[in-house]
Amino acid sequence: MNRTISVGRNPSTSSVSSVSRHPPSQLGGRGDGAKTDELTAQLMELKITIDGLEKERDFYFGKLRDIEVLCQEADKNPIIQKILEILYATEEGFAPPEELETENNNHEAEEY
């Protein structure tokens, strides 16, 4: 007996993967338990890595936010203005989250 499971938020717009699920009698014996343990260990390692990266991201974001506040409170010093330009510069294809949300809301309002 095979069951197909769709993976993705919206199957009509995202790529869809399918996974065949076999009854336990068709699966291998002890090798599957070892594979499961290996994948579980790998998953835990990845979760720990993600947690570390999120902490590091938050740490540096906090530092940049403190610098931004100091610069905003400072005089109109040309060096301070250049620092703010660097802080607010974006790369091509990147926009701060609030700009993305505003664009999405405006686009949705235009459609209806």
Side-chain angles (χ1 to χ4, degrees):
M1 166 168 76
N2 288 336
R3 291 187 215 160
T4 302
I5 302 170
S6 296
V7 179
R9 290 185 194 152
N10 185 349
S12 64
T13 60
S14 62
S15 62
V16 178
S17 302
S18 54
V19 178
S20 294
R21 187 174 185 143
H22 300 282
S25 62
Q26 292 180 351
L27 296 174
R30 297 180 184 189
D32 288 338
K35 185 68 172 175
T36 300
D37 291 343
E38 179 185 337
L39 291 173
T40 301
Q42 193 175 27
L43 179 63
M44 292 304 296
E45 184 179 329
L46 291 173
K47 285 181 179 182
I48 291 168
T49 300
I50 289 171
D51 288 343
L53 290 171
E54 287 175 343
K55 286 178 185 177
E56 185 176 0
R57 176 203 61 198
D58 294 343
F59 172 78
Y60 286 111
F61 177 81
K63 289 197 172 290
L64 286 171
R65 180 68 180 126
D66 292 343
I67 291 168
E68 177 186 32
V69 170
L70 286 173
C71 289
Q72 288 174 341
E73 294 172 352
D75 296 323
K76 297 295 178 185
N77 183 333
I79 294 175
I80 299 294
Q81 293 306 312
K82 289 198 182 278
I83 292 171
L84 286 172
E85 285 177 21
I86 292 170
L87 286 175
Y88 296 141
T90 60
E91 293 183 21
E92 186 177 327
F94 173 81
E98 57 272 356
E99 287 181 23
L100 290 174
E101 290 174 11
T102 303
E103 289 175 8
N104 287 338
N105 290 339
N106 289 340
H107 182 67
E108 289 174 5
E110 292 174 6
E111 289 179 3
Y112 296 105

